[in-house]
Amino acid sequence: MKCHQGSNGPGGSLTAVKNAAPILGPKTVISVGACSGLSPDKTKLGDVVVSAKLTTYASKVVTSDQEQWAGISSYVSRRFLNIITNCADGWQPPLKNPEDRYINVHNNGEFLSGPEQIKAEWRRKELLDRHPLAKGVEMEGEGVFTAAFDTQLEWLIVKGIADFADGEQVNAERWETCASAMAASLVSHILSDPGVFRTWPHYQGIECL
């Protein structure tokens, strides 16, 4: 399924998951696509970040003399933590010339999720200073997490790095397509053995045919 950019607006990830879950009765919801990297010294374009942890960065308490972060941080479930630890084992990135580029999978990644489409170096540095372990920033994970929490679904965010949120003019369309393809390929690899998920409950315990 597809959703519009962002979490809470019309057609965003929150609405998409809540509308789809009662119809499809899934065992899990996985958000796949492209994100912005936060640490160009630790990651590179095309790398894939897998969410061991999701942090919402936009919520804050504002007083007369300061601002204080008031978001939430949540790890994925023990089920997914066990899977993503070795999720890249045996995976072959869908590259035309694999010898020309190495795609790294950051399977212990922390995503920052919020409403901003960030294209400014000062903002990237500000977020990284506040959350130094974060690997990527994106806009849909907060809605996926919220909807999955409300419907008691497993959740995971898997996204490829298409830029570094600094406003630099890279070939955005090319890298967004490449990054999304890398993430989708890795998710396909994770799902390739259905036996891994056989005992996971469906949405609200529904047994799907």
Side-chain angles (χ1 to χ4, degrees), residues 35-204:
C35 69
S36 296
L38 288 172
S39 301
D41 57 328
K42 298 178 182 178
T43 59
K44 62 184 184 300
L45 296 175
D47 279 2
V48 181
V49 182
V50 183
S51 62
K53 184 180 182 181
L54 181 76
T55 297
T56 61
Y57 67 83
S59 297
K60 56 187 176 182
V61 176
V62 181
T63 64
S64 59
D65 58 351
Q66 66 176 346
E67 294 181 357
Q68 183 175 354
W69 174 68
I72 59 173
S73 291
S74 178
Y75 284 93
V76 295
S77 70
R78 180 173 60 85
R79 288 189 177 103
F80 260 132
L81 277 177
N82 289 338
I83 289 174
I84 65 177
T85 298
N86 301 299
C87 65
D89 291 359
W91 176 60
Q92 296 296 324
L95 296 170
K96 185 175 182 180
N97 298 303
E99 64 279 1
D100 292 341
R101 188 172 191 87
Y102 178 74
I103 301 296
N104 193 23
V105 175
H106 304 270
N107 57 9
N108 61 341
E110 176 184 359
F111 271 113
L112 301 185
S113 188
E116 302 173 19
Q117 188 173 12
I118 301 169
K119 296 183 178 181
E121 176 70 4
W122 69 266
R123 182 56 168 154
R124 182 192 69 82
K125 288 183 176 179
E126 184 178 61
L127 289 176
L128 192 58
D129 286 343
R130 293 180 181 177
H131 307 279
L133 298 181
K135 292 285 192 348
V137 59
E138 55 85 74
M139 300 177 67
E140 292 74 40
E142 182 175 2
V144 170
F145 163 74
T146 301
F149 180 87
D150 285 348
T151 54
Q152 301 181 51
L153 278 171
E154 304 283 349
W155 62 273
L156 189 68
I157 314 297
V158 181
K159 296 193 173 184
I161 296 175
D163 60 67
F164 287 105
D166 54 10
E168 291 292 325
Q169 293 299 314
V170 297
N171 191 331
E173 184 176 349
R174 175 192 170 211
W175 279 111
E176 186 172 340
T177 299
C178 175
S180 298
M182 295 302 115
S185 174
L186 180 64
V187 169
S188 178
H189 178 70
I190 292 172
L191 299 175
S192 62
D193 183 357
V196 173
F197 304 93
R198 185 168 291 123
T199 61
W200 290 27
H202 287 278
Y203 165 76
Q204 293 190 351

